[in-house]
Amino acid sequence: MSFFRYVFFFVFVFCFIPKTVFAVVDPTAVPNNKFGIHIAVADEQDLKDAAALVNSSGGDWGYVTVVIQENDRDTGKWQDIFNTMRKLHLIPIVRIASQQQGAVWKRPSADDAQGWADFLDSLNWVVENRYVVLYNEPNHAQEWGGEVLPEDYAHVAYTFAKTLKEKNPDFYVMLAGLDEAAPSSMPRHEDAGVFLSRVLATKDSASWGAVLDGICAHAYPNPGFVGSPDGWGKASVRGYQWLQDIFSQGGIIKKMPVFITETGWDQSKVGEETASQYLLQTFQNIWLSDANIVAVTPFILNYQSDPFLGFSWKKKEADSFYTIYTKTQEFLKQKGAPKQREKIEILSSLPTTFTAESKIGFALRIKNKGQSIIDAFDGYKIAVLQANKGFEEVISPIVLLGPGEETNISVFIKTPKKTGYTKSRIVLKKNDEQVSVIAPWNRRIVPKINMVVFVKLLLGFTREVGGYEVQVYDQRERIIFKRADMNTVNGKISLKDIPNVIVGESYRVVILRPYYLPRQTHVQLKETNNEVRVKPMLPLDWNRDGKWNWKDMIWFL
């Protein structure tokens, strides 16, 4: 009987207890810079100011919360914004929004989910995790079409989350941040705990757990945005802890990292210096020490009018900032290392067959199909890994190749003496660690090739004539072979052991002889039976400059 108990326990634990699942990357498991900022308009200057703030004092790859409204879904515009954020090392947290209709925000519909998923998936995101927050404070009537409707929000949010996940599993989905200080006064407001509990009750915990990845929190120091940095409870800077309990009570027991996308003190009430002191005190004593917090993006970098002027870190109608900006800049931060998709695609054909004991160069056209900017100064390089030693490769560095961009690289190889097959792979490395495989590259080494050139002098001997020079150029117009003082026998020049050849490629063969105009042709060189034929050579280069012109006449006269 004891044996069957163990079997039952094993099956129950491994089959029925929910397991922690992350979208792509657990953001708490990689080096992470928690500092961020919320911005109202994602223009270039605000993004630069945000980067100068969150990536200062040792920090890198901080966060920015941005809002995309349904009437602003311009792929070109937002791709440009994402590309700017990529260059500035800013990780976007996207809060989607409907649009204002008078004093309220239009109530979203579940029917909008596919359109949003298509739009968001059309963008090349900055990092693997595509952080998306589903709307804003729906426990306020004005944020949900004029009425608080927990079950309606639940239906819309679940449909959106499920649709996003089905579109691309990289979407990292969070429910809306709530006003955690709101009273229960329906239909205008609902207590955040009551609202969230009713939302979670619309589905079983497994369904919600399958589509949600993290918790979005608005951890304001209430009441009145003037509360203590040491406060406790749902209406405090620790409000996210209370939210975690609500999710657990709703049966979602998997790990849910926290994103505090709004917080901050009203400087018009507590004063500039106090707001700065309180924020950094909270970072130091609470948020930075909590391993489950991923990002804190205080509200707001730049807002030049009411009702949020008191929260703006940038002074009104000025290019300067309040103390809170400069003090946060000075605060020591961590260098983040978010996961990005790093992928290079080779657009041109890879040569596979080479002559032995050769030095060969060729160009490859490549395209950045990933998310990162491939730059040698950031430690990126293309390398060749091979099972059998003998080859040597030198590949030109890549500089500032952004996603979607193409460039040419030069590849130089030195082949071994031994003929046969070699298996290898072309890989992308960063700081000497492989990050992706670009392509397999199975190479074959063959003996140096032979070639017969058929030549004929328009005025001259046909049996045995000397003084010829043969030159062979590759597709990049570099000379790979030259042999002088060659003789023809019965109109043929026999060349043996030609190195530096990519078998199957086209080469330009040039025939020279003093006082004769050069002849050339293009030929695809094979392993064997290489025959080259040129037009009859004309004795018209009397001044030996390689061409026929009036100078030859002067020389002749």
Side-chain angles (χ1 to χ4, degrees), residues 504-527:
E505 293 287 325
S506 179
Y507 290 84
R508 183 166 67 94
V509 179
V510 179
I511 313 300
L512 304 175
R513 191 170 190 272
Y515 304 109
Y516 283 79
L517 292 177
R519 286 300 189 188
Q520 66 175 1
T521 189
H522 288 82
V523 62
Q524 186 181 59
L525 294 181
K526 302 171 292 184
E527 289 184 53

mmCIF file with all atom_site columns, all heavy atoms in Angstrom, residues 504-527:
data_model
loop_
_atom_site.group_PDB
_atom_site.id
_atom_site.type_symbol
_atom_site.label_atom_id
_atom_site.label_alt_id
_atom_site.label_comp_id
_atom_site.label_asym_id
_atom_site.label_entity_id
_atom_site.label_seq_id
_atom_site.pdbx_PDB_ins_code
_atom_site.Cartn_x
_atom_site.Cartn_y
_atom_site.Cartn_z
_atom_site.occupancy
_atom_site.B_iso_or_equiv
_atom_site.pdbx_formal_charge
_atom_site.auth_seq_id
_atom_site.auth_comp_id
_atom_site.auth_asym_id
_atom_site.auth_atom_id
_atom_site.pdbx_PDB_model_num
ATOM 1   N N   . GLY A 1 504 ? 33.592 25.897 -59.510 1.00 0.00 ? 504 GLY A N   1
ATOM 2   C CA  . GLY A 1 504 ? 32.234 26.241 -59.899 1.00 0.00 ? 504 GLY A CA  1
ATOM 3   C C   . GLY A 1 504 ? 31.998 27.729 -60.049 1.00 0.00 ? 504 GLY A C   1
ATOM 4   O O   . GLY A 1 504 ? 30.973 28.145 -60.590 1.00 0.00 ? 504 GLY A O   1
ATOM 5   N N   . GLU A 1 505 ? 32.943 28.554 -59.581 1.00 0.00 ? 505 GLU A N   1
ATOM 6   C CA  . GLU A 1 505 ? 32.813 30.002 -59.711 1.00 0.00 ? 505 GLU A CA  1
ATOM 7   C C   . GLU A 1 505 ? 33.345 30.465 -61.072 1.00 0.00 ? 505 GLU A C   1
ATOM 8   O O   . GLU A 1 505 ? 34.142 29.783 -61.721 1.00 0.00 ? 505 GLU A O   1
ATOM 9   C CB  . GLU A 1 505 ? 33.587 30.713 -58.600 1.00 0.00 ? 505 GLU A CB  1
ATOM 10  C CG  . GLU A 1 505 ? 33.023 30.496 -57.214 1.00 0.00 ? 505 GLU A CG  1
ATOM 11  C CD  . GLU A 1 505 ? 31.740 31.261 -56.980 1.00 0.00 ? 505 GLU A CD  1
ATOM 12  O OE1 . GLU A 1 505 ? 31.605 32.387 -57.513 1.00 0.00 ? 505 GLU A OE1 1
ATOM 13  O OE2 . GLU A 1 505 ? 30.860 30.738 -56.277 1.00 0.00 ? 505 GLU A OE2 1
ATOM 14  N N   . SER A 1 506 ? 32.913 31.648 -61.480 1.00 0.00 ? 506 SER A N   1
ATOM 15  C CA  . SER A 1 506 ? 33.358 32.230 -62.742 1.00 0.00 ? 506 SER A CA  1
ATOM 16  C C   . SER A 1 506 ? 34.611 33.077 -62.516 1.00 0.00 ? 506 SER A C   1
ATOM 17  O O   . SER A 1 506 ? 34.687 33.832 -61.539 1.00 0.00 ? 506 SER A O   1
ATOM 18  C CB  . SER A 1 506 ? 32.245 33.094 -63.335 1.00 0.00 ? 506 SER A CB  1
ATOM 19  O OG  . SER A 1 506 ? 32.669 33.689 -64.538 1.00 0.00 ? 506 SER A OG  1
ATOM 20  N N   . TYR A 1 507 ? 35.569 32.943 -63.427 1.00 0.00 ? 507 TYR A N   1
ATOM 21  C CA  . TYR A 1 507 ? 36.820 33.688 -63.340 1.00 0.00 ? 507 TYR A CA  1
ATOM 22  C C   . TYR A 1 507 ? 37.112 34.353 -64.682 1.00 0.00 ? 507 TYR A C   1
ATOM 23  O O   . TYR A 1 507 ? 36.688 33.875 -65.735 1.00 0.00 ? 507 TYR A O   1
ATOM 24  C CB  . TYR A 1 507 ? 37.978 32.765 -62.960 1.00 0.00 ? 507 TYR A CB  1
ATOM 25  C CG  . TYR A 1 507 ? 37.893 32.275 -61.533 1.00 0.00 ? 507 TYR A CG  1
ATOM 26  C CD1 . TYR A 1 507 ? 37.122 31.160 -61.208 1.00 0.00 ? 507 TYR A CD1 1
ATOM 27  C CD2 . TYR A 1 507 ? 38.553 32.941 -60.511 1.00 0.00 ? 507 TYR A CD2 1
ATOM 28  C CE1 . TYR A 1 507 ? 37.018 30.718 -59.901 1.00 0.00 ? 507 TYR A CE1 1
ATOM 29  C CE2 . TYR A 1 507 ? 38.463 32.506 -59.199 1.00 0.00 ? 507 TYR A CE2 1
ATOM 30  C CZ  . TYR A 1 507 ? 37.692 31.406 -58.897 1.00 0.00 ? 507 TYR A CZ  1
ATOM 31  O OH  . TYR A 1 507 ? 37.591 30.983 -57.600 1.00 0.00 ? 507 TYR A OH  1
ATOM 32  N N   . ARG A 1 508 ? 37.850 35.441 -64.605 1.00 0.00 ? 508 ARG A N   1
ATOM 33  C CA  . ARG A 1 508 ? 38.277 36.137 -65.827 1.00 0.00 ? 508 ARG A CA  1
ATOM 34  C C   . ARG A 1 508 ? 39.707 35.711 -66.142 1.00 0.00 ? 508 ARG A C   1
ATOM 35  O O   . ARG A 1 508 ? 40.609 35.878 -65.314 1.00 0.00 ? 508 ARG A O   1
ATOM 36  C CB  . ARG A 1 508 ? 38.197 37.649 -65.630 1.00 0.00 ? 508 ARG A CB  1
ATOM 37  C CG  . ARG A 1 508 ? 38.556 38.454 -66.878 1.00 0.00 ? 508 ARG A CG  1
ATOM 38  C CD  . ARG A 1 508 ? 38.136 39.914 -66.726 1.00 0.00 ? 508 ARG A CD  1
ATOM 39  N NE  . ARG A 1 508 ? 38.910 40.603 -65.710 1.00 0.00 ? 508 ARG A NE  1
ATOM 40  C CZ  . ARG A 1 508 ? 40.015 41.312 -65.950 1.00 0.00 ? 508 ARG A CZ  1
ATOM 41  N NH1 . ARG A 1 508 ? 40.492 41.400 -67.196 1.00 0.00 ? 508 ARG A NH1 1
ATOM 42  N NH2 . ARG A 1 508 ? 40.635 41.930 -64.970 1.00 0.00 ? 508 ARG A NH2 1
ATOM 43  N N   . VAL A 1 509 ? 39.893 35.157 -67.342 1.00 0.00 ? 509 VAL A N   1
ATOM 44  C CA  . VAL A 1 509 ? 41.210 34.686 -67.775 1.00 0.00 ? 509 VAL A CA  1
ATOM 45  C C   . VAL A 1 509 ? 41.741 35.658 -68.824 1.00 0.00 ? 509 VAL A C   1
ATOM 46  O O   . VAL A 1 509 ? 41.065 35.944 -69.823 1.00 0.00 ? 509 VAL A O   1
ATOM 47  C CB  . VAL A 1 509 ? 41.135 33.261 -68.346 1.00 0.00 ? 509 VAL A CB  1
ATOM 48  C CG1 . VAL A 1 509 ? 42.521 32.797 -68.804 1.00 0.00 ? 509 VAL A CG1 1
ATOM 49  C CG2 . VAL A 1 509 ? 40.562 32.299 -67.304 1.00 0.00 ? 509 VAL A CG2 1
ATOM 50  N N   . VAL A 1 510 ? 42.953 36.168 -68.601 1.00 0.00 ? 510 VAL A N   1
ATOM 51  C CA  . VAL A 1 510 ? 43.573 37.154 -69.486 1.00 0.00 ? 510 VAL A CA  1
ATOM 52  C C   . VAL A 1 510 ? 44.838 36.546 -70.090 1.00 0.00 ? 510 VAL A C   1
ATOM 53  O O   . VAL A 1 510 ? 45.667 35.962 -69.377 1.00 0.00 ? 510 VAL A O   1
ATOM 54  C CB  . VAL A 1 510 ? 43.920 38.444 -68.719 1.00 0.00 ? 510 VAL A CB  1
ATOM 55  C CG1 . VAL A 1 510 ? 44.591 39.455 -69.650 1.00 0.00 ? 510 VAL A CG1 1
ATOM 56  C CG2 . VAL A 1 510 ? 42.667 39.041 -68.092 1.00 0.00 ? 510 VAL A CG2 1
ATOM 57  N N   . ILE A 1 511 ? 44.994 36.696 -71.430 1.00 0.00 ? 511 ILE A N   1
ATOM 58  C CA  . ILE A 1 511 ? 46.174 36.209 -72.146 1.00 0.00 ? 511 ILE A CA  1
ATOM 59  C C   . ILE A 1 511 ? 46.953 37.423 -72.653 1.00 0.00 ? 511 ILE A C   1
ATOM 60  O O   . ILE A 1 511 ? 46.398 38.288 -73.342 1.00 0.00 ? 511 ILE A O   1
ATOM 61  C CB  . ILE A 1 511 ? 45.793 35.312 -73.334 1.00 0.00 ? 511 ILE A CB  1
ATOM 62  C CG1 . ILE A 1 511 ? 44.747 34.265 -72.911 1.00 0.00 ? 511 ILE A CG1 1
ATOM 63  C CG2 . ILE A 1 511 ? 47.031 34.650 -73.919 1.00 0.00 ? 511 ILE A CG2 1
ATOM 64  C CD1 . ILE A 1 511 ? 45.205 33.353 -71.811 1.00 0.00 ? 511 ILE A CD1 1
ATOM 65  N N   . LEU A 1 512 ? 48.252 37.473 -72.322 1.00 0.00 ? 512 LEU A N   1
ATOM 66  C CA  . LEU A 1 512 ? 49.114 38.584 -72.725 1.00 0.00 ? 512 LEU A CA  1
ATOM 67  C C   . LEU A 1 512 ? 50.289 38.057 -73.545 1.00 0.00 ? 512 LEU A C   1
ATOM 68  O O   . LEU A 1 512 ? 50.792 36.950 -73.298 1.00 0.00 ? 512 LEU A O   1
ATOM 69  C CB  . LEU A 1 512 ? 49.648 39.317 -71.489 1.00 0.00 ? 512 LEU A CB  1
ATOM 70  C CG  . LEU A 1 512 ? 48.619 39.871 -70.491 1.00 0.00 ? 512 LEU A CG  1
ATOM 71  C CD1 . LEU A 1 512 ? 49.327 40.443 -69.275 1.00 0.00 ? 512 LEU A CD1 1
ATOM 72  C CD2 . LEU A 1 512 ? 47.756 40.933 -71.154 1.00 0.00 ? 512 LEU A CD2 1
ATOM 73  N N   . ARG A 1 513 ? 50.710 38.881 -74.519 1.00 0.00 ? 513 ARG A N   1
ATOM 74  C CA  . ARG A 1 513 ? 51.944 38.610 -75.267 1.00 0.00 ? 513 ARG A CA  1
ATOM 75  C C   . ARG A 1 513 ? 52.464 39.941 -75.786 1.00 0.00 ? 513 ARG A C   1
ATOM 76  O O   . ARG A 1 513 ? 51.679 40.780 -76.242 1.00 0.00 ? 513 ARG A O   1
ATOM 77  C CB  . ARG A 1 513 ? 51.693 37.651 -76.439 1.00 0.00 ? 513 ARG A CB  1
ATOM 78  C CG  . ARG A 1 513 ? 52.987 37.131 -77.069 1.00 0.00 ? 513 ARG A CG  1
ATOM 79  C CD  . ARG A 1 513 ? 52.709 36.012 -78.050 1.00 0.00 ? 513 ARG A CD  1
ATOM 80  N NE  . ARG A 1 513 ? 53.942 35.373 -78.462 1.00 0.00 ? 513 ARG A NE  1
ATOM 81  C CZ  . ARG A 1 513 ? 54.698 35.767 -79.500 1.00 0.00 ? 513 ARG A CZ  1
ATOM 82  N NH1 . ARG A 1 513 ? 54.310 36.810 -80.233 1.00 0.00 ? 513 ARG A NH1 1
ATOM 83  N NH2 . ARG A 1 513 ? 55.812 35.131 -79.801 1.00 0.00 ? 513 ARG A NH2 1
ATOM 84  N N   . PRO A 1 514 ? 53.755 40.180 -75.683 1.00 0.00 ? 514 PRO A N   1
ATOM 85  C CA  . PRO A 1 514 ? 54.295 41.470 -76.124 1.00 0.00 ? 514 PRO A CA  1
ATOM 86  C C   . PRO A 1 514 ? 53.888 41.811 -77.562 1.00 0.00 ? 514 PRO A C   1
ATOM 87  O O   . PRO A 1 514 ? 53.925 40.951 -78.449 1.00 0.00 ? 514 PRO A O   1
ATOM 88  C CB  . PRO A 1 514 ? 55.812 41.279 -76.001 1.00 0.00 ? 514 PRO A CB  1
ATOM 89  C CG  . PRO A 1 514 ? 55.971 40.225 -74.953 1.00 0.00 ? 514 PRO A CG  1
ATOM 90  C CD  . PRO A 1 514 ? 54.820 39.298 -75.152 1.00 0.00 ? 514 PRO A CD  1
ATOM 91  N N   . TYR A 1 515 ? 53.481 43.074 -77.748 1.00 0.00 ? 515 TYR A N   1
ATOM 92  C CA  . TYR A 1 515 ? 53.104 43.672 -79.032 1.00 0.00 ? 515 TYR A CA  1
ATOM 93  C C   . TYR A 1 515 ? 51.747 43.180 -79.557 1.00 0.00 ? 515 TYR A C   1
ATOM 94  O O   . TYR A 1 515 ? 51.332 43.578 -80.634 1.00 0.00 ? 515 TYR A O   1
ATOM 95  C CB  . TYR A 1 515 ? 54.191 43.455 -80.101 1.00 0.00 ? 515 TYR A CB  1
ATOM 96  C CG  . TYR A 1 515 ? 55.528 43.984 -79.666 1.00 0.00 ? 515 TYR A CG  1
ATOM 97  C CD1 . TYR A 1 515 ? 56.556 43.110 -79.335 1.00 0.00 ? 515 TYR A CD1 1
ATOM 98  C CD2 . TYR A 1 515 ? 55.755 45.356 -79.558 1.00 0.00 ? 515 TYR A CD2 1
ATOM 99  C CE1 . TYR A 1 515 ? 57.785 43.585 -78.906 1.00 0.00 ? 515 TYR A CE1 1
ATOM 100 C CE2 . TYR A 1 515 ? 56.983 45.843 -79.129 1.00 0.00 ? 515 TYR A CE2 1
ATOM 101 C CZ  . TYR A 1 515 ? 57.995 44.956 -78.797 1.00 0.00 ? 515 TYR A CZ  1
ATOM 102 O OH  . TYR A 1 515 ? 59.206 45.430 -78.374 1.00 0.00 ? 515 TYR A OH  1
ATOM 103 N N   . TYR A 1 516 ? 51.095 42.344 -78.780 1.00 0.00 ? 516 TYR A N   1
ATOM 104 C CA  . TYR A 1 516 ? 49.757 41.885 -79.163 1.00 0.00 ? 516 TYR A CA  1
ATOM 105 C C   . TYR A 1 516 ? 48.738 42.465 -78.187 1.00 0.00 ? 516 TYR A C   1
ATOM 106 O O   . TYR A 1 516 ? 49.018 42.618 -76.993 1.00 0.00 ? 516 TYR A O   1
ATOM 107 C CB  . TYR A 1 516 ? 49.666 40.358 -79.137 1.00 0.00 ? 516 TYR A CB  1
ATOM 108 C CG  . TYR A 1 516 ? 50.321 39.694 -80.326 1.00 0.00 ? 516 TYR A CG  1
ATOM 109 C CD1 . TYR A 1 516 ? 51.708 39.546 -80.380 1.00 0.00 ? 516 TYR A CD1 1
ATOM 110 C CD2 . TYR A 1 516 ? 49.551 39.222 -81.382 1.00 0.00 ? 516 TYR A CD2 1
ATOM 111 C CE1 . TYR A 1 516 ? 52.321 38.945 -81.462 1.00 0.00 ? 516 TYR A CE1 1
ATOM 112 C CE2 . TYR A 1 516 ? 50.155 38.613 -82.473 1.00 0.00 ? 516 TYR A CE2 1
ATOM 113 C CZ  . TYR A 1 516 ? 51.532 38.477 -82.515 1.00 0.00 ? 516 TYR A CZ  1
ATOM 114 O OH  . TYR A 1 516 ? 52.130 37.885 -83.590 1.00 0.00 ? 516 TYR A OH  1
ATOM 115 N N   . LEU A 1 517 ? 47.556 42.780 -78.713 1.00 0.00 ? 517 LEU A N   1
ATOM 116 C CA  . LEU A 1 517 ? 46.490 43.227 -77.826 1.00 0.00 ? 517 LEU A CA  1
ATOM 117 C C   . LEU A 1 517 ? 46.064 42.075 -76.915 1.00 0.00 ? 517 LEU A C   1
ATOM 118 O O   . LEU A 1 517 ? 45.973 40.924 -77.367 1.00 0.00 ? 517 LEU A O   1
ATOM 119 C CB  . LEU A 1 517 ? 45.283 43.713 -78.632 1.00 0.00 ? 517 LEU A CB  1
ATOM 120 C CG  . LEU A 1 517 ? 45.483 45.000 -79.440 1.00 0.00 ? 517 LEU A CG  1
ATOM 121 C CD1 . LEU A 1 517 ? 44.230 45.308 -80.251 1.00 0.00 ? 517 LEU A CD1 1
ATOM 122 C CD2 . LEU A 1 517 ? 45.812 46.173 -78.521 1.00 0.00 ? 517 LEU A CD2 1
ATOM 123 N N   . PRO A 1 518 ? 45.801 42.374 -75.637 1.00 0.00 ? 518 PRO A N   1
ATOM 124 C CA  . PRO A 1 518 ? 45.380 41.308 -74.714 1.00 0.00 ? 518 PRO A CA  1
ATOM 125 C C   . PRO A 1 518 ? 44.050 40.699 -75.152 1.00 0.00 ? 518 PRO A C   1
ATOM 126 O O   . PRO A 1 518 ? 43.221 41.348 -75.784 1.00 0.00 ? 518 PRO A O   1
ATOM 127 C CB  . PRO A 1 518 ? 45.232 42.035 -73.373 1.00 0.00 ? 518 PRO A CB  1
ATOM 128 C CG  . PRO A 1 518 ? 45.984 43.308 -73.520 1.00 0.00 ? 518 PRO A CG  1
ATOM 129 C CD  . PRO A 1 518 ? 45.889 43.678 -74.965 1.00 0.00 ? 518 PRO A CD  1
ATOM 130 N N   . ARG A 1 519 ? 43.878 39.449 -74.779 1.00 0.00 ? 519 ARG A N   1
ATOM 131 C CA  . ARG A 1 519 ? 42.601 38.778 -74.973 1.00 0.00 ? 519 ARG A CA  1
ATOM 132 C C   . ARG A 1 519 ? 42.118 38.255 -73.622 1.00 0.00 ? 519 ARG A C   1
ATOM 133 O O   . ARG A 1 519 ? 42.921 37.856 -72.767 1.00 0.00 ? 519 ARG A O   1
ATOM 134 C CB  . ARG A 1 519 ? 42.738 37.613 -75.958 1.00 0.00 ? 519 ARG A CB  1
ATOM 135 C CG  . ARG A 1 519 ? 42.894 38.036 -77.406 1.00 0.00 ? 519 ARG A CG  1
ATOM 136 C CD  . ARG A 1 519 ? 41.704 38.837 -77.888 1.00 0.00 ? 519 ARG A CD  1
ATOM 137 N NE  . ARG A 1 519 ? 41.744 39.066 -79.332 1.00 0.00 ? 519 ARG A NE  1
ATOM 138 C CZ  . ARG A 1 519 ? 40.907 39.867 -79.971 1.00 0.00 ? 519 ARG A CZ  1
ATOM 139 N NH1 . ARG A 1 519 ? 39.992 40.542 -79.284 1.00 0.00 ? 519 ARG A NH1 1
ATOM 140 N NH2 . ARG A 1 519 ? 40.985 40.008 -81.281 1.00 0.00 ? 519 ARG A NH2 1
ATOM 141 N N   . GLN A 1 520 ? 40.801 38.270 -73.446 1.00 0.00 ? 520 GLN A N   1
ATOM 142 C CA  . GLN A 1 520 ? 40.260 37.778 -72.186 1.00 0.00 ? 520 GLN A CA  1
ATOM 143 C C   . GLN A 1 520 ? 38.921 37.103 -72.422 1.00 0.00 ? 520 GLN A C   1
ATOM 144 O O   . GLN A 1 520 ? 38.245 37.340 -73.424 1.00 0.00 ? 520 GLN A O   1
ATOM 145 C CB  . GLN A 1 520 ? 40.091 38.911 -71.179 1.00 0.00 ? 520 GLN A CB  1
ATOM 146 C CG  . GLN A 1 520 ? 39.046 39.937 -71.555 1.00 0.00 ? 520 GLN A CG  1
ATOM 147 C CD  . GLN A 1 520 ? 38.837 40.978 -70.470 1.00 0.00 ? 520 GLN A CD  1
ATOM 148 O OE1 . GLN A 1 520 ? 39.486 40.948 -69.439 1.00 0.00 ? 520 GLN A OE1 1
ATOM 149 N NE2 . GLN A 1 520 ? 37.931 41.902 -70.703 1.00 0.00 ? 520 GLN A NE2 1
ATOM 150 N N   . THR A 1 521 ? 38.547 36.280 -71.473 1.00 0.00 ? 521 THR A N   1
ATOM 151 C CA  . THR A 1 521 ? 37.239 35.640 -71.491 1.00 0.00 ? 521 THR A CA  1
ATOM 152 C C   . THR A 1 521 ? 36.887 35.236 -70.072 1.00 0.00 ? 521 THR A C   1
ATOM 153 O O   . THR A 1 521 ? 37.748 35.220 -69.172 1.00 0.00 ? 521 THR A O   1
ATOM 154 C CB  . THR A 1 521 ? 37.224 34.407 -72.413 1.00 0.00 ? 521 THR A CB  1
ATOM 155 O OG1 . THR A 1 521 ? 35.873 33.947 -72.559 1.00 0.00 ? 521 THR A OG1 1
ATOM 156 C CG2 . THR A 1 521 ? 38.075 33.278 -71.846 1.00 0.00 ? 521 THR A CG2 1
ATOM 157 N N   . HIS A 1 522 ? 35.621 34.931 -69.850 1.00 0.00 ? 522 HIS A N   1
ATOM 158 C CA  . HIS A 1 522 ? 35.168 34.452 -68.545 1.00 0.00 ? 522 HIS A CA  1
ATOM 159 C C   . HIS A 1 522 ? 34.849 32.967 -68.647 1.00 0.00 ? 522 HIS A C   1
ATOM 160 O O   . HIS A 1 522 ? 34.255 32.518 -69.634 1.00 0.00 ? 522 HIS A O   1
ATOM 161 C CB  . HIS A 1 522 ? 33.931 35.219 -68.080 1.00 0.00 ? 522 HIS A CB  1
ATOM 162 C CG  . HIS A 1 522 ? 34.230 36.629 -67.666 1.00 0.00 ? 522 HIS A CG  1
ATOM 163 N ND1 . HIS A 1 522 ? 34.349 37.660 -68.569 1.00 0.00 ? 522 HIS A ND1 1
ATOM 164 C CD2 . HIS A 1 522 ? 34.454 37.171 -66.435 1.00 0.00 ? 522 HIS A CD2 1
ATOM 165 C CE1 . HIS A 1 522 ? 34.618 38.788 -67.930 1.00 0.00 ? 522 HIS A CE1 1
ATOM 166 N NE2 . HIS A 1 522 ? 34.692 38.514 -66.637 1.00 0.00 ? 522 HIS A NE2 1
ATOM 167 N N   . VAL A 1 523 ? 35.247 32.235 -67.636 1.00 0.00 ? 523 VAL A N   1
ATOM 168 C CA  . VAL A 1 523 ? 35.055 30.794 -67.663 1.00 0.00 ? 523 VAL A CA  1
ATOM 169 C C   . VAL A 1 523 ? 34.728 30.304 -66.259 1.00 0.00 ? 523 VAL A C   1
ATOM 170 O O   . VAL A 1 523 ? 35.223 30.841 -65.259 1.00 0.00 ? 523 VAL A O   1
ATOM 171 C CB  . VAL A 1 523 ? 36.315 30.084 -68.207 1.00 0.00 ? 523 VAL A CB  1
ATOM 172 C CG1 . VAL A 1 523 ? 37.519 30.339 -67.301 1.00 0.00 ? 523 VAL A CG1 1
ATOM 173 C CG2 . VAL A 1 523 ? 36.077 28.591 -68.374 1.00 0.00 ? 523 VAL A CG2 1
ATOM 174 N N   . GLN A 1 524 ? 33.866 29.315 -66.195 1.00 0.00 ? 524 GLN A N   1
ATOM 175 C CA  . GLN A 1 524 ? 33.556 28.665 -64.922 1.00 0.00 ? 524 GLN A CA  1
ATOM 176 C C   . GLN A 1 524 ? 34.536 27.518 -64.732 1.00 0.00 ? 524 GLN A C   1
ATOM 177 O O   . GLN A 1 524 ? 34.560 26.575 -65.528 1.00 0.00 ? 524 GLN A O   1
ATOM 178 C CB  . GLN A 1 524 ? 32.118 28.145 -64.929 1.00 0.00 ? 524 GLN A CB  1
ATOM 179 C CG  . GLN A 1 524 ? 31.656 27.588 -63.591 1.00 0.00 ? 524 GLN A CG  1
ATOM 180 C CD  . GLN A 1 524 ? 30.236 27.070 -63.653 1.00 0.00 ? 524 GLN A CD  1
ATOM 181 O OE1 . GLN A 1 524 ? 29.932 26.173 -64.445 1.00 0.00 ? 524 GLN A OE1 1
ATOM 182 N NE2 . GLN A 1 524 ? 29.364 27.633 -62.838 1.00 0.00 ? 524 GLN A NE2 1
ATOM 183 N N   . LEU A 1 525 ? 35.342 27.608 -63.691 1.00 0.00 ? 525 LEU A N   1
ATOM 184 C CA  . LEU A 1 525 ? 36.384 26.613 -63.482 1.00 0.00 ? 525 LEU A CA  1
ATOM 185 C C   . LEU A 1 525 ? 35.830 25.382 -62.775 1.00 0.00 ? 525 LEU A C   1
ATOM 186 O O   . LEU A 1 525 ? 35.116 25.486 -61.772 1.00 0.00 ? 525 LEU A O   1
ATOM 187 C CB  . LEU A 1 525 ? 37.529 27.217 -62.677 1.00 0.00 ? 525 LEU A CB  1
ATOM 188 C CG  . LEU A 1 525 ? 38.302 28.335 -63.395 1.00 0.00 ? 525 LEU A CG  1
ATOM 189 C CD1 . LEU A 1 525 ? 39.434 28.847 -62.521 1.00 0.00 ? 525 LEU A CD1 1
ATOM 190 C CD2 . LEU A 1 525 ? 38.841 27.847 -64.738 1.00 0.00 ? 525 LEU A CD2 1
ATOM 191 N N   . LYS A 1 526 ? 36.189 24.216 -63.324 1.00 0.00 ? 526 LYS A N   1
ATOM 192 C CA  . LYS A 1 526 ? 35.733 22.932 -62.801 1.00 0.00 ? 526 LYS A CA  1
ATOM 193 C C   . LYS A 1 526 ? 36.918 22.173 -62.215 1.00 0.00 ? 526 LYS A C   1
ATOM 194 O O   . LYS A 1 526 ? 38.061 22.614 -62.298 1.00 0.00 ? 526 LYS A O   1
ATOM 195 C CB  . LYS A 1 526 ? 35.081 22.127 -63.928 1.00 0.00 ? 526 LYS A CB  1
ATOM 196 C CG  . LYS A 1 526 ? 33.905 22.839 -64.603 1.00 0.00 ? 526 LYS A CG  1
ATOM 197 C CD  . LYS A 1 526 ? 33.442 22.094 -65.843 1.00 0.00 ? 526 LYS A CD  1
ATOM 198 C CE  . LYS A 1 526 ? 34.491 22.157 -66.960 1.00 0.00 ? 526 LYS A CE  1
ATOM 199 N NZ  . LYS A 1 526 ? 34.024 21.519 -68.214 1.00 0.00 ? 526 LYS A NZ  1
ATOM 200 N N   . GLU A 1 527 ? 36.616 21.022 -61.633 1.00 0.00 ? 527 GLU A N   1
ATOM 201 C CA  . GLU A 1 527 ? 37.697 20.206 -61.072 1.00 0.00 ? 527 GLU A CA  1
ATOM 202 C C   . GLU A 1 527 ? 38.610 19.679 -62.175 1.00 0.00 ? 527 GLU A C   1
ATOM 203 O O   . GLU A 1 527 ? 39.825 19.597 -61.999 1.00 0.00 ? 527 GLU A O   1
ATOM 204 C CB  . GLU A 1 527 ? 37.115 19.031 -60.277 1.00 0.00 ? 527 GLU A CB  1
ATOM 205 C CG  . GLU A 1 527 ? 36.457 19.415 -58.973 1.00 0.00 ? 527 GLU A CG  1
ATOM 206 C CD  . GLU A 1 527 ? 36.003 18.194 -58.201 1.00 0.00 ? 527 GLU A CD  1
ATOM 207 O OE1 . GLU A 1 527 ? 36.844 17.287 -57.987 1.00 0.00 ? 527 GLU A OE1 1
ATOM 208 O OE2 . GLU A 1 527 ? 34.819 18.134 -57.825 1.00 0.00 ? 527 GLU A OE2 1
#
